[in-house]
């Protein structure tokens, strides 16, 4: 049984992170002379439409998906949508499919879920109030005064969290066991997020440096714990492997989210959400004002190939299907500094069989749907994702929460 305790201590444009974190420049590497064989292999990852697709398909479906680019992904029949889907619609069917899986064997599940939805509304309201002092606003540059302002605001937020919790919980008898347990998990998560966030700002200010990719991934991990989710960092010892075109293909996402408790019916594993982090030095969006028509290919940044990032994420979603509790559906997040894009790969069953049988699939047999970008340091963006995140988090914890029913 998992034990959680709460012991807290003392809209703007999202064309870039509100704190404008920029990864340090990478050192230049000497270009090595390619042999004829290595030159052919390197071409496997180029985005040249004139290059023979059969060669790309035959050579690029193996090894680790971190080597994939968008052309490799398309060669296995997976395409990204032309425009974004509203987040509420993007995850709707997946959340509906997850419901009977996590509630299997639980009596009076409708009553139990109604109770959880009531608690969810309270969590959303409390989160909005507790995090409003952390809104990054319109900050566009890293100045010492900006760092100090954010650092002070972070610790003020800790006090607000405690006050909010006292108002919500009051005396131990004011709420049932289930509500107190959920608020305890939530309180621990939001407190840890505030402290990591404030500590990161202080460190960057003291050392006068920019943030790096691992720090942003860790910030996302702490942020997601607020929503009762269970993040696990990618581990090479727990890599996933799929046979594609007769070649073993492996994947180790940056972060995985799993179910909690005995929630693995049908002998499936418990992965629910897969995260790929992009290592960007600088980035922006094209035509943000038309967010509903956002096309993920409009991402513009320096420091990493967009085609490589999209190919890697698509490959991770594909291979993670073997670990997903949702049959032939894999949920994901592309994390770029403090901005997240939610994704959903829906695999056509026949398409999956073709991939496993080494048959060349038709292009576009399966698609990756995605949301517009949301920066979780910006109040407006953050509030737009609260309902979906809490909904998913509660479903992931149903089994462990059921133990605390009165």
């Amino acid at each position: 049984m998992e034990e959680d305790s709460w012991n807290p201590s003392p809209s703007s444009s999202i064309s870039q992170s509100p704190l404008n974190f920029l990864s340090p420049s990478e050192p230049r590497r000497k270009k090595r002379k390619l042999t004829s064989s290595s030159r052919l292999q390197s071409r496997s990852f180029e985005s040249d439409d004139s290059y023979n697709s059969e060669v790309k398909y035959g050579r690029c479906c193996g090894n680790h998906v971190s080597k994939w680019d968008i052309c490799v992904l398309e060669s296995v029949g997976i395409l990204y949508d032309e425009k974004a889907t509203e987040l509420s619609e993007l995850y709707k069917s997946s959340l509906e499919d997850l419901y009977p899986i996590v509630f299997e064997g639980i009596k009076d599940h409708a009553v139990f879920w109604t109770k959880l939805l009531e608690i969810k509304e309270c969590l959303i309201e409390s989160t909005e109030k507790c995090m409003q002092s952390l809104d990054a606003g319109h900050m566009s540059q890293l100045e010492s005064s900006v760092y100090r302002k954010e650092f002070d605001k972070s610790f003020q937020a800790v006090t607000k969290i405690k006050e909010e919790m006292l108002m919500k919980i009051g005396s131990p008898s004011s709420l049932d066991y289930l509500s107190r347990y959920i608020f305890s998990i939530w309180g621990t998560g939001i407190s840890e997020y505030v402290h990591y966030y404030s500590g990161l700002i202080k460190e960057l200010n003291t050392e006068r440096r920019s943030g790096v990719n691992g720090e942003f991934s860790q910030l996302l991990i702490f942020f997601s714990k607020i929503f009762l989710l269970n993040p696990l960092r990618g581990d090479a010892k727990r890599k996933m492997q799929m046979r594609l075109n007769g070649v073993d293909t492996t994947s180790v996402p940056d972060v995985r989210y799993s179910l909690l408790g005995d929630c693995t019916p049908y002998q499936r594993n418990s992965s629910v959400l897969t995260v790929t982090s992009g290592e960007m030095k600088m980035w922006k969006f094209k035509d943000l004002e038309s967010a509903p028509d956002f096309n993920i290919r409009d991402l513009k940044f320096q420091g990493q190939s967009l085609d490589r990032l999209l190919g890697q994420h698509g490959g991770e979603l594909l291979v993670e299907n073997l670990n997903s509790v949702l049959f032939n559906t894999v949920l994901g997040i592309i994390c770029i500094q403090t901005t997240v894009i939610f994704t959903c790969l829906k695999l056509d069953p026949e398409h999956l069989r073709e991939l496993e049988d080494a048959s060349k699939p038709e292009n576009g047999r399966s698609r990756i749907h995605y949301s517009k970008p949301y920066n979780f340091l910006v109040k407006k963006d953050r509030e737009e994702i609260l309902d979906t995140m809490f909904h998913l988090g509660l479903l992931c914890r149903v089994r462990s929460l059921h133990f605390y029913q009165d």
Side-chain angles (χ1 to χ4, degrees), residues 82-99:
E82 291 299 318
K83 66 178 182 178
T85 301
E86 290 291 333
L87 181 57
S88 58
E89 291 299 317
L90 181 69
Y91 279 6
K92 182 179 179 181
S93 61
S94 297
L95 294 177
E96 292 174 348
D97 292 340
L98 189 58
Y99 182 95

Side-chain angles (χ1 to χ4, degrees), residues 58-117:
R59 290 186 175 271
C60 298
C61 293
N63 302 320
H64 200 285
V65 295
S66 61
K67 298 178 181 179
W68 285 26
D69 66 6
I70 195 71
C71 290
V72 179
L73 186 68
E74 292 177 356
S75 75
V76 296
I78 299 176
L79 300 178
Y80 281 86
D81 277 348
E82 291 299 318
K83 66 178 182 178
T85 301
E86 290 291 333
L87 181 57
S88 58
E89 291 299 317
L90 181 69
Y91 279 6
K92 182 179 179 181
S93 61
S94 297
L95 294 177
E96 292 174 348
D97 292 340
L98 189 58
Y99 182 95
I101 294 175
V102 299
F103 277 100
E104 185 180 46
I106 296 180
K107 296 180 180 179
D108 301 323
H109 57 84
V111 176
F112 181 35
W113 183 238
T114 299
K115 172 67 174 177
L116 292 180
L117 292 180

Side-chain angles (χ1 to χ4, degrees), residues 69-349:
D69 66 6
I70 195 71
C71 290
V72 179
L73 186 68
E74 292 177 356
S75 75
V76 296
I78 299 176
L79 300 178
Y80 281 86
D81 277 348
E82 291 299 318
K83 66 178 182 178
T85 301
E86 290 291 333
L87 181 57
S88 58
E89 291 299 317
L90 181 69
Y91 279 6
K92 182 179 179 181
S93 61
S94 297
L95 294 177
E96 292 174 348
D97 292 340
L98 189 58
Y99 182 95
I101 294 175
V102 299
F103 277 100
E104 185 180 46
I106 296 180
K107 296 180 180 179
D108 301 323
H109 57 84
V111 176
F112 181 35
W113 183 238
T114 299
K115 172 67 174 177
L116 292 180
L117 292 180
E118 292 174 357
I119 295 175
K120 182 186 76 170
E121 295 305 315
C122 190
L123 289 172
I124 291 174
E125 179 185 353
S126 297
T127 303
E128 290 176 347
K129 290 181 179 178
C130 289
M131 297 188 70
Q132 61 186 359
S133 62
L134 292 177
D135 181 23
H138 294 264
M139 290 184 294
S140 60
Q141 56 186 356
L142 284 177
E143 298 177 350
S144 297
S145 59
V146 171
Y147 271 133
R148 173 53 55 185
K149 180 181 178 182
E150 288 302 299
F151 185 50
D152 292 341
K153 282 164 58 178
S154 297
F155 279 97
Q156 292 171 10
V158 174
T159 302
K160 293 188 68 173
I161 291 169
K162 186 174 181 179
E163 293 173 351
E164 290 288 338
M165 290 297 296
L166 289 174
M167 290 175 61
K168 295 295 180 184
I169 296 180
S171 64
S173 61
S174 63
L175 289 176
D176 56 51
Y177 288 117
L178 177 64
S179 300
R180 288 205 302 273
Y181 177 61
I182 292 177
F183 274 104
S184 176
I185 300 170
W186 171 82
T188 299
I190 201 168
S191 181
E192 289 179 346
Y193 170 75
V194 168
H195 277 280
Y196 182 80
Y197 175 63
S198 60
L200 176 61
I201 290 175
K202 180 181 180 181
E203 181 180 330
L204 297 181
N205 183 38
T206 301
E207 299 180 1
R208 297 184 178 278
R209 67 175 178 82
S210 300
V212 296
N213 189 51
E215 291 170 324
F216 294 119
S217 296
Q218 190 62 45
L219 186 63
L220 174 63
I221 285 176
F222 280 115
F223 178 71
S224 61
K225 285 184 176 181
I226 296 171
F227 307 100
L228 318 182
L229 289 165
N230 181 44
L232 298 172
R233 274 202 173 277
D235 185 351
K237 295 180 181 179
R238 300 185 62 220
K239 66 183 179 182
M240 294 302 300
Q241 183 170 295
M242 175 181 281
R243 192 84 170 167
L244 294 175
N245 195 32
V247 179
D248 290 332
T249 303
T250 58
S251 171
V252 182
D254 292 288
V255 184
R256 284 189 179 100
Y257 295 88
S258 61
L259 299 178
L260 288 164
D262 183 19
C263 291
T264 55
Y266 318 117
Q267 297 182 340
R268 296 287 285 186
N269 289 309
S270 60
S271 177
V272 177
L273 198 65
T274 302
V275 177
T276 303
S277 295
E279 299 184 24
M280 307 303 139
K281 295 178 183 177
M282 184 166 58
W283 67 301
K284 61 183 179 179
F285 294 119
K286 176 183 177 182
D287 193 14
L288 275 178
E289 298 303 319
S290 57
D293 296 324
F294 168 75
N295 188 320
I296 202 166
R297 286 182 174 275
D298 288 339
L299 284 169
K300 304 292 182 183
F301 46 71
Q302 298 176 358
Q304 181 177 343
S305 164
L306 172 61
D307 282 355
R308 178 64 65 84
L309 175 63
L310 297 183
Q312 176 183 340
H313 182 65
E316 289 177 348
L317 294 180
L318 171 60
V319 178
E320 195 69 14
N321 174 69
L322 299 176
N323 197 41
S324 175
V325 71
L326 294 166
F327 294 91
N328 298 328
T329 298
V330 189
L331 305 181
I333 291 177
I334 296 176
C335 176
I336 307 173
Q337 295 184 351
T338 60
T339 294
V340 291
I341 299 173
F342 296 89
T343 62
C344 177
L345 169 62
K346 290 188 175 293
L347 279 165
D348 178 87

Side-chain angles (χ1 to χ4, degrees), residues 1-18:
M1 179 181 67
E2 178 181 339
E3 294 183 359
D4 293 87
S5 60
W6 179 58
N7 297 301
S9 306
S11 174
S12 65
S13 169
I14 50 178
S15 60
Q16 55 187 3
S17 168

